[in-house]
Amino acid sequence: MIPGYISVLLLLIVSILWATGWKDVFAPRMRTGWAVAVTLAIALLLMFPLWSSPLHNKPAIQIHASVWLLLTVCAILLWRSVQDGQRGYLMLCALMLAIVWGSARSLYSHETMFYWMDPLWDMPLLAGLLCGAFTSDSRHQLVLVAWGAALGSFVEVLFRGDVIQTRIGSWEWWDSVAIACCSAVAVTVLLRAGRAIGSRIGAAWLHLRGGRSS
């Protein structure tokens, strides 16, 4: 599959849903102007080879400027949208997600029998499930996925040594981030739908038994 195809396809789907009034379902607390501005800025940066190495002793690890922008925005979003206790919790969740993400990718590189579907899909889907379990806020899920994916690449290098070149911000990396974000949102929407259906079934059952719903 062409790198970046999944990112563009999922972005197109999300844009259509956003424009047709489904924003309140999957991203109720996300501001439209803020989301559009950040997305356009990232798309503009991806047009240029703006790579840098955060660690001088490990030049094999490179980060694109678009990722630096995303991580900065996520850090600001985390700082402004939660209280002190929640910040620590979300940072711990991002670290756990990074460890799981990086160690699993390292395991996949040594043994193919552990694949579920495909290396590109397995970890992003699992990361989305974990994010959905950690928090139901779409803003915080974005923070967890962005930082978890970036730090997970460092964890992968730590386990595999200096035998690979990691480019955080490549189209393959963005594909993984897009899959993980959509998976997290899908989990949250399904859980909310399940709770709503469950409450209605409970209310109907109480009504049939002659009781009253709260």
Side-chain angles (χ1 to χ4, degrees):
M1 185 176 293
I2 302 175
Y5 174 78
I6 296 176
S7 299
V8 175
L9 179 61
L10 292 178
L11 179 61
L12 179 61
I13 294 173
V14 171
S15 299
I16 294 174
L17 292 175
W18 199 299
T20 53
W22 288 86
K23 172 184 175 296
D24 292 337
V25 175
F26 61 87
R29 298 184 179 180
M30 198 80 73
R31 295 182 179 178
T32 301
W34 173 85
V36 172
V38 173
T39 302
L40 291 178
I42 290 175
L44 179 63
L45 291 174
L46 285 172
M47 298 173 62
F48 305 96
L50 304 174
W51 296 95
S52 61
S53 179
L55 302 176
H56 297 290
N57 59 338
K58 291 186 179 295
I61 302 178
Q62 294 184 333
I63 302 182
H64 195 266
S66 58
V67 180
W68 284 119
L69 174 61
L70 177 64
L71 295 179
T72 301
V73 170
C74 287
I76 295 174
L77 184 63
L78 176 64
W79 185 262
R80 290 185 175 181
S81 63
V82 298
Q83 300 175 353
D84 292 339
Q86 291 177 316
R87 291 192 194 108
Y89 166 75
L90 290 175
M91 286 189 289
L92 179 61
C93 290
L95 180 60
M96 289 190 295
L97 186 64
I99 293 174
V100 172
W101 201 319
S103 58
R105 286 178 59 88
S106 176
L107 182 64
Y108 289 166
S109 67
H110 292 93
E111 185 53 70
T112 59
M113 66 175 292
F114 294 105
Y115 294 164
W116 297 344
M117 297 184 300
D118 185 88
L120 176 63
W121 286 87
D122 286 358
M123 270 317 302
L125 289 175
L126 177 58
L129 292 176
L130 291 175
C131 286
F134 290 149
T135 177
S136 60
D137 192 322
S138 57
R139 299 172 301 175
H140 301 161
Q141 290 174 349
L142 175 62
V143 172
L144 294 183
V145 169
W147 279 96
L151 295 177
S153 298
F154 285 89
V155 173
E156 182 184 5
V157 172
L158 179 64
F159 280 114
R160 295 182 61 182
D162 296 328
V163 297
I164 62 170
Q165 182 178 14
T166 301
R167 308 192 80 184
I168 305 173
S170 63
W171 281 112
E172 292 85 354
W173 187 88
W174 283 108
D175 285 342
S176 299
V177 169
I179 294 171
C181 286
C182 291
S183 176
V185 172
V187 169
T188 302
V189 172
L190 289 176
L191 289 176
R192 289 175 180 169
R195 294 192 194 101
I197 293 174
S199 63
R200 291 192 177 186
I201 292 176
W205 175 253
L206 288 175
H207 179 72
L208 290 175
R209 295 186 60 183
R212 293 183 178 179
S213 60
S214 56

